[in-house]
Protein backbone atom coordinates (compact mmCIF):
# COMPACT_ATOMS: atom_id res chain seq x y z
CA UNK A 1 0.00 0.00 0.00
CA UNK A 2 2.82 2.43 0.90
CA UNK A 3 4.57 1.66 -2.38
CA UNK A 4 1.34 2.39 -4.26
CA UNK A 5 0.98 5.75 -2.51
CA UNK A 6 4.63 6.63 -3.28
CA UNK A 7 4.13 5.68 -6.91
CA UNK A 8 0.99 7.82 -7.20
CA UNK A 9 2.69 10.77 -5.52
CA UNK A 10 5.62 10.55 -7.93
CA UNK A 11 3.18 10.39 -10.84
CA UNK A 12 1.37 13.47 -9.49
CA UNK A 13 4.66 15.39 -9.42
CA UNK A 14 5.69 14.19 -12.86
CA UNK A 15 2.31 15.15 -14.30
CA UNK A 16 2.56 18.60 -12.76
CA UNK A 17 6.06 19.12 -14.17
CA UNK A 18 5.56 17.69 -17.65
CA UNK A 19 1.92 18.58 -18.27
CA UNK A 20 -0.81 16.30 -19.57
CA UNK A 21 0.12 12.89 -20.96
CA UNK A 22 -0.14 12.51 -24.78
CA UNK A 23 -2.94 9.92 -24.46
CA UNK A 24 -5.05 12.18 -22.22
CA UNK A 25 -4.30 15.20 -24.42
CA UNK A 26 -5.55 13.41 -27.56
CA UNK A 27 -8.76 12.50 -25.75
CA UNK A 28 -9.52 16.07 -24.71
CA UNK A 29 -8.42 17.41 -28.10
CA UNK A 30 -10.87 15.08 -29.87
CA UNK A 31 -13.74 16.15 -27.63
CA UNK A 32 -12.95 19.84 -28.19
CA UNK A 33 -12.67 19.41 -31.98
CA UNK A 34 -16.18 17.94 -32.11
CA UNK A 35 -17.46 20.70 -29.80
CA UNK A 36 -16.15 23.53 -31.98
CA UNK A 37 -17.21 21.79 -35.21
CA UNK A 38 -20.72 21.74 -33.71
CA UNK A 39 -20.34 25.44 -32.87
CA UNK A 40 -19.48 26.25 -36.48
CA UNK A 41 -22.36 24.32 -38.07
CA UNK A 42 -24.84 25.25 -35.33
CA UNK A 43 -23.84 28.91 -35.60
CA UNK A 44 -24.49 28.95 -39.35
CA UNK A 45 -27.91 27.37 -38.75
CA UNK A 46 -28.58 29.99 -36.07
CA UNK A 47 -27.90 32.77 -38.59
CA UNK A 48 -30.32 31.18 -41.06
CA UNK A 49 -32.94 31.09 -38.30
CA UNK A 50 -32.42 34.72 -37.38
CA UNK A 51 -32.62 35.93 -40.99
CA UNK A 52 -35.73 33.83 -41.59
CA UNK A 53 -37.44 35.01 -38.41
CA UNK A 54 -36.82 38.63 -39.44
CA UNK A 55 -38.40 37.98 -42.85
CA UNK A 56 -35.11 38.56 -44.69
CA UNK A 57 -34.56 35.01 -45.95
CA UNK A 58 -36.95 32.43 -47.32
CA UNK A 59 -35.67 28.94 -46.53
CA UNK A 60 -36.17 26.21 -49.18
CA UNK A 61 -38.86 23.60 -48.72
CA UNK A 62 -36.24 20.85 -48.47
CA UNK A 63 -34.63 22.51 -45.43
CA UNK A 64 -37.30 24.46 -43.63
CA UNK A 65 -37.25 26.63 -40.50
CA UNK A 66 -38.26 23.82 -38.14
CA UNK A 67 -35.54 21.48 -39.43
CA UNK A 68 -33.01 24.28 -38.93
CA UNK A 69 -34.35 25.00 -35.44
CA UNK A 70 -34.16 21.33 -34.39
CA UNK A 71 -30.63 20.88 -35.77
CA UNK A 72 -29.48 24.18 -34.20
CA UNK A 73 -30.72 23.03 -30.79
CA UNK A 74 -29.23 19.55 -31.08
CA UNK A 75 -25.81 20.84 -32.19
CA UNK A 76 -25.41 23.69 -29.71
CA UNK A 77 -27.47 22.54 -26.74
CA UNK A 78 -26.40 18.89 -26.72
CA UNK A 79 -23.27 18.37 -28.84
CA UNK A 80 -21.24 21.56 -28.22
CA UNK A 81 -21.90 21.76 -24.49
CA UNK A 82 -21.61 18.03 -23.71
CA UNK A 83 -18.39 17.50 -25.68
CA UNK A 84 -16.76 20.64 -24.28
CA UNK A 85 -17.78 19.86 -20.69
CA UNK A 86 -16.45 16.29 -20.86
CA UNK A 87 -13.23 17.30 -22.65
CA UNK A 88 -12.56 20.09 -20.14
CA UNK A 89 -13.23 18.02 -17.03
CA UNK A 90 -11.31 15.01 -18.27
CA UNK A 91 -8.31 17.30 -18.77
CA UNK A 92 -8.88 18.56 -15.22
CA UNK A 93 -9.14 15.03 -13.82
CA UNK A 94 -5.94 14.08 -15.62
CA UNK A 95 -4.06 17.14 -14.34
CA UNK A 96 -5.23 17.11 -10.72
CA UNK A 97 -5.45 13.35 -10.10
CA UNK A 98 -2.15 12.24 -11.62
CA UNK A 99 -3.26 11.17 -15.09
CA UNK A 100 -6.24 9.13 -16.28
CA UNK A 101 -6.38 5.42 -15.52
CA UNK A 102 -6.18 3.36 -18.75
CA UNK A 103 -9.67 1.91 -18.21
CA UNK A 104 -11.09 5.39 -17.55
CA UNK A 105 -9.53 6.70 -20.75
CA UNK A 106 -10.98 3.71 -22.61
CA UNK A 107 -14.44 4.42 -21.15
CA UNK A 108 -14.19 8.04 -22.32
CA UNK A 109 -13.32 6.88 -25.84
CA UNK A 110 -16.25 4.43 -25.83
CA UNK A 111 -18.49 7.29 -24.67
CA UNK A 112 -17.08 9.46 -27.46
CA UNK A 113 -17.96 6.83 -30.06
CA UNK A 114 -21.44 6.22 -28.64
CA UNK A 115 -22.27 9.93 -28.69
CA UNK A 116 -21.08 10.27 -32.29
CA UNK A 117 -23.16 7.25 -33.34
CA UNK A 118 -26.13 8.72 -31.52
CA UNK A 119 -25.61 12.07 -33.20
CA UNK A 120 -25.63 10.45 -36.67
CA UNK A 121 -28.81 8.52 -35.81
CA UNK A 122 -30.45 11.76 -34.65
CA UNK A 123 -29.28 14.11 -37.40
CA UNK A 124 -30.18 11.94 -40.43
CA UNK A 125 -33.96 12.01 -39.65
CA UNK A 126 -33.66 15.79 -39.14
CA UNK A 127 -32.10 16.20 -42.59
CA UNK A 128 -34.83 13.97 -44.06
CA UNK A 129 -37.47 16.20 -42.38
CA UNK A 130 -38.67 13.31 -40.24
CA UNK A 131 -37.70 14.80 -36.87
CA UNK A 132 -38.60 18.51 -36.80
CA UNK A 133 -39.69 18.24 -33.16
CA UNK A 134 -37.35 20.97 -31.82
CA UNK A 135 -34.96 20.63 -28.89
CA UNK A 136 -37.75 19.75 -26.45
CA UNK A 137 -38.96 16.83 -28.67
CA UNK A 138 -41.81 15.87 -26.36
CA UNK A 139 -45.17 14.42 -27.44
CA UNK A 140 -47.64 14.67 -29.02
CA UNK A 141 -45.29 15.64 -31.89
CA UNK A 142 -43.50 12.49 -33.00
CA UNK A 143 -40.24 12.11 -34.86
CA UNK A 144 -38.82 9.08 -36.61
CA UNK A 145 -38.05 6.40 -34.00
CA UNK A 146 -34.42 6.45 -35.14
CA UNK A 147 -34.12 10.03 -33.88
CA UNK A 148 -34.99 8.82 -30.36
CA UNK A 149 -32.67 5.83 -30.72
CA UNK A 150 -29.91 8.34 -31.46
CA UNK A 151 -30.77 10.20 -28.26
CA UNK A 152 -30.45 6.91 -26.34
CA UNK A 153 -26.92 6.43 -27.65
CA UNK A 154 -26.03 10.00 -26.71
CA UNK A 155 -27.28 9.45 -23.15
CA UNK A 156 -25.44 6.12 -22.86
CA UNK A 157 -22.25 7.83 -24.02
CA UNK A 158 -22.64 10.49 -21.35
CA UNK A 159 -23.20 7.79 -18.71
CA UNK A 160 -20.03 6.01 -19.82
CA UNK A 161 -18.03 9.21 -19.31
CA UNK A 162 -19.73 9.87 -15.96
CA UNK A 163 -18.85 6.44 -14.58
CA UNK A 164 -15.31 6.82 -15.89
CA UNK A 165 -14.99 10.02 -13.86
CA UNK A 166 -16.41 8.30 -10.77
CA UNK A 167 -13.87 5.47 -11.08
CA UNK A 168 -11.03 7.98 -11.48
CA UNK A 169 -12.05 9.96 -8.38
CA UNK A 170 -12.70 6.81 -6.32
CA UNK A 171 -9.24 5.49 -7.20
CA UNK A 172 -7.61 8.76 -6.11
CA UNK A 173 -9.54 8.80 -2.83
CA UNK A 174 -8.54 5.18 -2.14
CA UNK A 175 -4.87 6.16 -2.45
CA UNK A 176 -5.22 9.48 -0.59
CA UNK A 177 -7.37 8.58 2.41
CA UNK A 178 -8.43 11.53 4.54
CA UNK A 179 -7.50 14.10 1.88
CA UNK A 180 -9.87 16.41 0.02
CA UNK A 181 -10.38 15.75 -3.66
CA UNK A 182 -8.68 18.61 -5.57
CA UNK A 183 -11.22 21.36 -6.13
CA UNK A 184 -11.52 21.07 -9.92
CA UNK A 185 -12.07 17.31 -9.63
CA UNK A 186 -14.66 18.06 -6.93
CA UNK A 187 -16.52 20.23 -9.45
CA UNK A 188 -16.18 17.43 -12.02
CA UNK A 189 -17.72 14.96 -9.56
CA UNK A 190 -20.70 17.25 -9.01
CA UNK A 191 -21.20 17.79 -12.74
CA UNK A 192 -21.05 14.07 -13.57
CA UNK A 193 -23.41 13.22 -10.68
CA UNK A 194 -25.90 15.69 -12.16
CA UNK A 195 -25.29 14.40 -15.69
CA UNK A 196 -26.11 10.85 -14.64
CA UNK A 197 -29.10 11.46 -12.37
CA UNK A 198 -30.42 14.35 -14.46
CA UNK A 199 -30.44 12.25 -17.63
CA UNK A 200 -32.29 9.32 -16.01
CA UNK A 201 -35.73 10.95 -16.47
CA UNK A 202 -35.15 11.72 -20.16
CA UNK A 203 -33.86 8.17 -20.69
CA UNK A 204 -37.13 6.84 -19.25
CA UNK A 205 -39.10 9.29 -21.41
CA UNK A 206 -37.30 8.28 -24.61
CA UNK A 207 -37.73 4.57 -23.86
CA UNK A 208 -41.51 5.17 -23.63
CA UNK A 209 -41.53 7.29 -26.80
CA UNK A 210 -39.70 4.74 -29.00
CA UNK A 211 -42.47 2.07 -29.05
CA UNK A 212 -45.04 4.86 -29.50
CA UNK A 213 -43.16 6.32 -32.48
CA UNK A 214 -42.80 2.85 -34.04
CA UNK A 215 -46.58 2.41 -33.73
CA UNK A 216 -46.35 -0.51 -31.31
CA UNK A 217 -48.25 1.56 -28.73
CA UNK A 218 -51.18 3.70 -29.89
CA UNK A 219 -51.08 6.50 -27.30
CA UNK A 220 -48.72 8.10 -24.78
CA UNK A 221 -49.22 10.05 -21.56
CA UNK A 222 -48.19 13.55 -22.70
CA UNK A 223 -48.04 15.05 -19.20
CA UNK A 224 -45.70 12.37 -17.89
CA UNK A 225 -43.44 12.75 -20.94
CA UNK A 226 -43.25 16.55 -20.53
CA UNK A 227 -42.51 16.25 -16.82
CA UNK A 228 -39.75 13.70 -17.39
CA UNK A 229 -38.25 15.91 -20.08
CA UNK A 230 -38.05 19.01 -17.87
CA UNK A 231 -36.57 17.04 -14.98
CA UNK A 232 -33.70 16.67 -17.44
CA UNK A 233 -33.97 19.84 -19.54
CA UNK A 234 -33.39 22.44 -16.86
CA UNK A 235 -30.85 20.27 -15.03
CA UNK A 236 -28.83 20.18 -18.25
CA UNK A 237 -28.70 23.98 -18.32
CA UNK A 238 -27.40 24.05 -14.76
CA UNK A 239 -24.79 21.39 -15.58
CA UNK A 240 -23.27 23.80 -18.11
CA UNK A 241 -23.63 26.60 -15.59
CA UNK A 242 -21.80 24.57 -12.92
CA UNK A 243 -19.06 23.86 -15.47
CA UNK A 244 -18.68 27.60 -16.09
CA UNK A 245 -18.76 28.27 -12.32
CA UNK A 246 -15.84 25.85 -11.86
CA UNK A 247 -13.73 28.11 -14.08
CA UNK A 248 -14.94 31.23 -12.25
CA UNK A 249 -13.95 29.87 -8.84
CA UNK A 250 -10.80 27.92 -9.74
CA UNK A 251 -9.25 29.25 -12.96
CA UNK A 252 -10.02 32.97 -13.20
CA UNK A 253 -8.46 33.92 -9.81
CA UNK A 254 -5.17 32.34 -10.93
CA UNK A 255 -5.26 34.20 -14.26
CA UNK A 256 -5.65 37.58 -12.51
CA UNK A 257 -2.83 36.76 -10.07
CA UNK A 258 -5.04 36.15 -7.04
CA UNK A 259 -6.17 33.33 -4.82
CA UNK A 260 -9.47 31.54 -4.80
CA UNK A 261 -12.29 32.15 -2.39
CA UNK A 262 -13.09 30.14 0.72
CA UNK A 263 -12.78 26.41 -0.09
CA UNK A 264 -15.67 25.37 2.16
CA UNK A 265 -18.06 27.82 0.53
CA UNK A 266 -16.92 26.69 -2.94
CA UNK A 267 -17.62 23.05 -2.16
CA UNK A 268 -20.92 23.95 -0.49
CA UNK A 269 -22.03 25.75 -3.67
CA UNK A 270 -21.35 22.57 -5.68
CA UNK A 271 -23.23 20.42 -3.15
CA UNK A 272 -26.18 22.84 -3.03
CA UNK A 273 -26.51 22.95 -6.82
CA UNK A 274 -26.38 19.14 -7.01
CA UNK A 275 -29.05 18.71 -4.33
CA UNK A 276 -31.52 21.35 -5.55
CA UNK A 277 -31.17 21.24 -9.31
CA UNK A 278 -33.41 18.51 -10.68
CA UNK A 279 -36.76 19.66 -9.17
CA UNK A 280 -36.05 23.16 -10.52
CA UNK A 281 -37.13 22.05 -13.97
CA UNK A 282 -40.79 21.97 -12.97
CA UNK A 283 -41.10 25.75 -13.39
CA UNK A 284 -41.15 25.15 -17.15
CA UNK A 285 -44.60 23.64 -16.57
CA UNK A 286 -46.13 26.44 -14.51
CA UNK A 287 -48.85 27.10 -17.09
CA UNK A 288 -49.43 23.43 -17.96
CA UNK A 289 -52.98 22.27 -17.25
CA UNK A 290 -53.58 19.18 -15.16
CA UNK A 291 -51.02 20.00 -12.45
CA UNK A 292 -52.47 21.16 -9.14
CA UNK A 293 -51.80 24.69 -7.91
CA UNK A 294 -50.30 23.35 -4.67
CA UNK A 295 -47.69 21.35 -6.61
CA UNK A 296 -46.85 24.37 -8.75
CA UNK A 297 -46.61 26.55 -5.63
CA UNK A 298 -44.13 24.15 -4.02
CA UNK A 299 -42.03 24.01 -7.16
CA UNK A 300 -41.80 27.78 -7.41
CA UNK A 301 -39.94 27.70 -4.10
CA UNK A 302 -37.80 24.76 -5.22
CA UNK A 303 -36.88 26.64 -8.40
CA UNK A 304 -36.09 29.88 -6.59
CA UNK A 305 -33.85 28.00 -4.14
CA UNK A 306 -31.34 27.44 -6.97
CA UNK A 307 -30.71 31.18 -6.92
CA UNK A 308 -29.01 31.10 -3.52
CA UNK A 309 -25.80 29.31 -4.65
CA UNK A 310 -25.67 31.78 -7.54
CA UNK A 311 -25.86 34.72 -5.13
CA UNK A 312 -23.04 33.16 -3.09
CA UNK A 313 -21.00 32.88 -6.27
CA UNK A 314 -21.62 36.51 -7.21
CA UNK A 315 -20.41 37.66 -3.79
CA UNK A 316 -17.38 35.35 -3.79
CA UNK A 317 -16.18 36.24 -7.28
CA UNK A 318 -16.43 40.01 -6.98
CA UNK A 319 -14.78 39.80 -3.56
CA UNK A 320 -11.86 37.93 -5.18
CA UNK A 321 -11.62 40.55 -7.94
CA UNK A 322 -11.60 43.46 -5.51
CA UNK A 323 -9.17 41.81 -3.09
CA UNK A 324 -6.73 40.92 -5.89
CA UNK A 325 -6.97 44.36 -7.52
CA UNK A 326 -6.36 46.17 -4.22
CA UNK A 327 -3.26 44.06 -3.62
CA UNK A 328 -2.01 45.35 -6.95
CA UNK A 329 -2.53 48.95 -5.89
CA UNK A 330 -6.17 49.52 -6.80
CA UNK A 331 -7.69 52.52 -5.00
CA UNK A 332 -11.08 54.05 -4.39
CA UNK A 333 -14.58 52.69 -4.11
CA UNK A 334 -14.60 51.40 -7.69
CA UNK A 335 -11.20 52.42 -9.05
CA UNK A 336 -9.70 49.04 -8.21
CA UNK A 337 -11.33 47.52 -11.30
CA UNK A 338 -8.69 49.26 -13.45
CA UNK A 339 -6.08 46.85 -12.05
CA UNK A 340 -7.83 43.81 -13.53
CA UNK A 341 -6.29 42.37 -16.75
CA UNK A 342 -9.00 43.48 -19.19
CA UNK A 343 -6.67 42.90 -22.13
CA UNK A 344 -6.31 39.18 -21.33
CA UNK A 345 -9.02 37.20 -23.12
CA UNK A 346 -8.70 34.41 -20.54
CA UNK A 347 -10.11 36.90 -18.02
CA UNK A 348 -12.24 39.15 -20.24
CA UNK A 349 -14.44 36.41 -21.72
CA UNK A 350 -15.46 34.80 -18.39
CA UNK A 351 -15.81 38.24 -16.77
CA UNK A 352 -18.32 39.34 -19.43
CA UNK A 353 -20.01 35.97 -18.91
CA UNK A 354 -20.36 36.67 -15.17
CA UNK A 355 -21.74 40.16 -15.76
CA UNK A 356 -24.25 38.74 -18.27
CA UNK A 357 -25.48 36.28 -15.66
CA UNK A 358 -26.82 39.16 -13.54
CA UNK A 359 -29.70 40.02 -15.95
CA UNK A 360 -29.88 36.37 -17.03
CA UNK A 361 -30.48 35.23 -13.44
CA UNK A 362 -33.04 38.00 -12.89
CA UNK A 363 -34.90 36.85 -16.01
CA UNK A 364 -34.86 33.30 -14.68
CA UNK A 365 -36.50 34.47 -11.46
CA UNK A 366 -39.21 36.18 -13.54
CA UNK A 367 -39.91 32.93 -15.39
CA UNK A 368 -40.06 31.00 -12.12
CA UNK A 369 -42.80 33.27 -10.75
CA UNK A 370 -46.35 32.20 -11.63
CA UNK A 371 -47.85 35.58 -12.56
CA UNK A 372 -44.83 36.79 -14.55
CA UNK A 373 -44.47 33.45 -16.29
CA UNK A 374 -48.00 33.87 -17.67
CA UNK A 375 -46.76 36.93 -19.59
CA UNK A 376 -43.54 35.55 -21.07
CA UNK A 377 -44.15 31.81 -21.45
CA UNK A 378 -43.90 30.61 -25.07
CA UNK A 379 -42.70 34.04 -26.23
CA UNK A 380 -39.32 35.10 -27.60
CA UNK A 381 -38.50 36.38 -24.09
CA UNK A 382 -37.67 32.78 -23.12
CA UNK A 383 -35.38 32.37 -26.14
CA UNK A 384 -33.65 35.63 -25.20
CA UNK A 385 -33.24 34.32 -21.65
CA UNK A 386 -31.38 31.17 -22.64
CA UNK A 387 -29.27 33.07 -25.15
CA UNK A 388 -28.12 35.10 -22.14
CA UNK A 389 -27.62 32.11 -19.83
CA UNK A 390 -26.27 29.48 -22.23
CA UNK A 391 -25.23 31.62 -25.19
CA UNK A 392 -23.39 34.21 -23.10
CA UNK A 393 -22.68 33.17 -19.49
CA UNK A 394 -21.80 29.58 -20.36
CA UNK A 395 -20.42 29.81 -23.89
CA UNK A 396 -18.26 32.90 -23.29
CA UNK A 397 -16.75 31.10 -20.30
CA UNK A 398 -16.07 28.09 -22.53
CA UNK A 399 -14.39 30.42 -25.03
CA UNK A 400 -12.24 31.90 -22.27
CA UNK A 401 -11.25 28.40 -21.12
CA UNK A 402 -10.27 27.42 -24.67
CA UNK A 403 -7.56 30.11 -24.84
CA UNK A 404 -5.50 28.28 -22.20
CA UNK A 405 -6.87 24.72 -22.38
CA UNK A 406 -6.24 24.23 -26.11
CA UNK A 407 -2.58 25.39 -25.90
CA UNK A 408 -2.15 23.26 -22.75
CA UNK A 409 -3.27 20.01 -24.41
CA UNK A 410 -1.46 20.88 -27.66
CA UNK A 411 1.82 21.89 -25.95
CA UNK A 412 1.63 25.28 -27.62
CA UNK A 413 1.35 28.86 -26.35
CA UNK A 414 -1.18 31.67 -26.57
CA UNK A 415 0.42 34.39 -28.68
CA UNK A 416 -0.31 38.15 -28.27
CA UNK A 417 -1.87 38.12 -31.74
CA UNK A 418 -4.39 35.37 -30.89
CA UNK A 419 -5.04 36.97 -27.49
CA UNK A 420 -5.93 40.23 -29.26
CA UNK A 421 -8.12 38.30 -31.70
CA UNK A 422 -9.84 36.71 -28.68
CA UNK A 423 -10.52 40.13 -27.14
CA UNK A 424 -12.03 41.32 -30.43
CA UNK A 425 -14.07 38.11 -30.68
CA UNK A 426 -15.38 38.59 -27.13
CA UNK A 427 -16.45 42.16 -27.91
CA UNK A 428 -18.15 41.10 -31.17
CA UNK A 429 -19.93 38.23 -29.37
CA UNK A 430 -21.10 40.56 -26.61
CA UNK A 431 -22.46 43.11 -29.10
CA UNK A 432 -24.21 40.33 -31.03
CA UNK A 433 -25.86 38.98 -27.90
CA UNK A 434 -26.89 42.47 -26.77
CA UNK A 435 -28.73 42.96 -30.05
CA UNK A 436 -30.16 39.44 -30.28
CA UNK A 437 -31.06 38.74 -26.67
CA UNK A 438 -32.19 42.31 -26.02
CA UNK A 439 -34.51 42.25 -29.03
CA UNK A 440 -35.87 38.83 -28.04
CA UNK A 441 -36.60 39.94 -24.48
CA UNK A 442 -38.29 43.13 -25.64
CA UNK A 443 -40.41 41.71 -28.44
CA UNK A 444 -41.35 38.80 -26.19
CA UNK A 445 -43.04 41.26 -23.86
CA UNK A 446 -45.14 42.34 -26.86
CA UNK A 447 -46.27 38.74 -27.34
CA UNK A 448 -44.06 37.58 -30.23
CA UNK A 449 -44.14 33.76 -30.03
CA UNK A 450 -41.15 31.47 -30.02
CA UNK A 451 -40.85 28.29 -32.08
CA UNK A 452 -42.40 29.91 -35.18
CA UNK A 453 -41.00 31.05 -38.50
CA UNK A 454 -41.69 34.52 -39.88
CA UNK A 455 -45.33 35.47 -40.36
CA UNK A 456 -47.34 38.68 -40.22
CA UNK A 457 -50.52 36.81 -39.21
CA UNK A 458 -52.43 38.35 -42.11
CA UNK A 459 -50.75 41.73 -41.69
CA UNK A 460 -51.97 42.06 -38.13
CA UNK A 461 -50.99 45.45 -36.67
CA UNK A 462 -49.62 43.73 -33.55
CA UNK A 463 -47.42 41.34 -35.56
CA UNK A 464 -46.18 44.14 -37.84
CA UNK A 465 -45.08 46.00 -34.71
CA UNK A 466 -42.63 43.20 -33.96
CA UNK A 467 -40.68 43.67 -37.21
CA UNK A 468 -38.19 46.36 -36.11
CA UNK A 469 -37.13 44.20 -33.15
CA UNK A 470 -36.85 41.11 -35.34
CA UNK A 471 -34.50 43.11 -37.58
CA UNK A 472 -32.29 43.76 -34.54
CA UNK A 473 -32.40 40.02 -33.89
CA UNK A 474 -31.00 39.44 -37.39
CA UNK A 475 -28.30 42.07 -36.82
CA UNK A 476 -27.30 40.28 -33.62
CA UNK A 477 -27.16 36.95 -35.45
CA UNK A 478 -24.82 38.47 -38.05
CA UNK A 479 -22.43 39.68 -35.35
CA UNK A 480 -22.57 36.25 -33.71
CA UNK A 481 -21.64 34.31 -36.84
CA UNK A 482 -18.58 36.57 -37.18
CA UNK A 483 -17.79 35.69 -33.56
CA UNK A 484 -18.21 31.97 -34.32
CA UNK A 485 -15.80 32.14 -37.26
CA UNK A 486 -13.18 34.03 -35.23
CA UNK A 487 -13.49 31.59 -32.33
CA UNK A 488 -13.18 28.48 -34.48
CA UNK A 489 -10.16 30.01 -36.24
CA UNK A 490 -8.53 30.78 -32.88
CA UNK A 491 -9.10 27.23 -31.59
CA UNK A 492 -7.76 25.58 -34.76
CA UNK A 493 -4.72 27.89 -34.75
CA UNK A 494 -3.97 27.21 -31.07
CA UNK A 495 -4.40 23.48 -31.59
CA UNK A 496 -2.24 23.02 -34.68
CA UNK A 497 -0.30 26.14 -35.70
CA UNK A 498 0.64 28.22 -32.64
CA UNK A 499 4.32 28.20 -31.53
CA UNK A 500 5.38 25.15 -29.51
CA UNK A 501 5.81 25.63 -25.77
CA UNK A 502 4.47 24.82 -22.31
CA UNK A 503 1.20 26.38 -21.17
CA UNK A 504 0.14 26.29 -17.52
CA UNK A 505 -3.07 24.67 -16.33
CA UNK A 506 -4.11 27.61 -14.14
CA UNK A 507 -5.51 26.47 -10.77
CA UNK A 508 -5.64 29.09 -8.03
CA UNK A 509 -4.43 28.29 -4.52
CA UNK A 510 -6.41 29.08 -1.38
CA UNK A 511 -5.72 32.15 0.73
CA UNK A 512 -2.79 31.63 3.08
CA UNK A 513 -4.93 32.07 6.21
CA UNK A 514 -7.75 29.85 4.90
CA UNK A 515 -9.75 27.85 7.43
CA UNK A 516 -9.48 24.07 7.09
CA UNK A 517 -12.32 22.60 5.04
CA UNK A 518 -14.47 20.13 7.01
CA UNK A 519 -14.38 16.58 5.70
CA UNK A 520 -18.18 16.24 5.54
CA UNK A 521 -18.01 17.93 2.15
CA UNK A 522 -16.47 14.71 0.77
CA UNK A 523 -19.47 12.55 1.75
CA UNK A 524 -20.94 12.18 -1.72
CA UNK A 525 -23.14 9.26 -0.68
CA UNK A 526 -24.94 11.58 1.75
CA UNK A 527 -25.19 14.38 -0.82
CA UNK A 528 -26.70 12.01 -3.40
CA UNK A 529 -29.13 10.60 -0.83
CA UNK A 530 -30.35 14.10 0.09
CA UNK A 531 -30.63 14.95 -3.62
CA UNK A 532 -32.77 11.86 -4.24
CA UNK A 533 -35.00 12.73 -1.27
CA UNK A 534 -35.51 16.25 -2.64
CA UNK A 535 -36.24 14.83 -6.10
CA UNK A 536 -38.74 12.38 -4.57
CA UNK A 537 -40.39 15.19 -2.62
CA UNK A 538 -40.79 17.17 -5.84
CA UNK A 539 -41.79 14.45 -8.30
CA UNK A 540 -43.31 11.35 -6.68
CA UNK A 541 -46.73 12.85 -5.86
CA UNK A 542 -47.28 14.69 -9.18
CA UNK A 543 -46.03 11.75 -11.30
CA UNK A 544 -48.18 9.24 -9.43
CA UNK A 545 -51.18 11.55 -9.92
CA UNK A 546 -50.42 11.92 -13.65
CA UNK A 547 -50.23 8.13 -14.02
CA UNK A 548 -53.15 7.11 -11.79
CA UNK A 549 -55.46 9.88 -13.01
CA UNK A 550 -54.08 9.90 -16.52
CA UNK A 551 -55.83 11.98 -19.16
CA UNK A 552 -56.62 10.29 -22.47
CA UNK A 553 -53.37 9.39 -24.19
CA UNK A 554 -52.34 11.01 -27.43
CA UNK A 555 -51.51 9.37 -30.76
CA UNK A 556 -48.43 10.70 -32.59
CA UNK A 557 -48.78 13.89 -34.62
CA UNK A 558 -46.65 15.30 -37.41
CA UNK A 559 -47.23 19.08 -37.43
CA UNK A 560 -44.61 20.09 -40.01
Amino acid sequence: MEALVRKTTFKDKANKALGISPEDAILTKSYLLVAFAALLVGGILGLLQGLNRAGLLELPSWFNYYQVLTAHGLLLVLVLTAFFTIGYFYAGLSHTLGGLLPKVRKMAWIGFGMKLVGFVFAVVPILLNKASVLYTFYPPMAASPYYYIGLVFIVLGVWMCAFGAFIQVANWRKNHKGQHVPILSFFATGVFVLLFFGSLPVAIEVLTIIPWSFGWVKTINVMVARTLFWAFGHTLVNIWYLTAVSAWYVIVPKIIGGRRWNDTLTRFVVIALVIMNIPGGFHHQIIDPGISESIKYMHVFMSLAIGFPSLMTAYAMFAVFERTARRKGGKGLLGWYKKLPWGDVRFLAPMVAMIAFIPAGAGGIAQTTNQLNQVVHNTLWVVGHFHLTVGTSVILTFFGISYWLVPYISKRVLTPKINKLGVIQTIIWTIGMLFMSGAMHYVGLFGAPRRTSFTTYGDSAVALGWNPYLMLLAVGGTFLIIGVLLQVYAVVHLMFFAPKGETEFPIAEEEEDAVKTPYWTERWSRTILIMLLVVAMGYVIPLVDMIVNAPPGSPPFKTW
Side-chain angles (χ1 to χ4, degrees), residues 132-159:
S132 298
V133 289
L134 316 188
Y135 158 66
T136 45
F137 69 77
Y138 40 63
M141 289 199 300
S144 160
Y146 299 103
Y147 174 79
Y148 303 113
I149 291 170
L151 296 179
V152 169
F153 274 98
I154 291 172
V155 170
L156 290 174
V158 168
W159 288 358

Side-chain angles (χ1 to χ4, degrees), residues 463-542:
L464 291 174
W466 301 335
N467 285 355
Y469 305 100
L470 297 177
M471 289 293 177
L472 291 178
L473 186 157
V475 170
T478 305
F479 273 101
L480 289 170
I481 193 60
I482 295 170
V484 165
L485 294 173
L486 291 177
Q487 182 63 32
V488 171
Y489 169 79
V491 167
V492 172
H493 181 86
L494 290 171
M495 198 172 281
F496 301 109
F497 304 108
K500 290 281 188 179
E502 293 295 327
T503 293
E504 179 189 23
F505 195 117
I507 294 181
E509 299 293 330
E510 278 190 274
E511 293 285 352
E512 292 176 358
D513 57 349
V515 177
K516 182 177 172 60
T517 304
Y519 198 71
W520 62 260
T521 56
E522 297 292 332
R523 307 294 184 195
W524 278 102
S525 56
R526 181 165 54 193
T527 297
I528 292 170
L529 177 61
I530 297 171
M531 176 198 74
L532 293 175
L533 289 172
V534 172
V535 171
M537 183 173 70
Y539 279 103
V540 169
I541 292 175

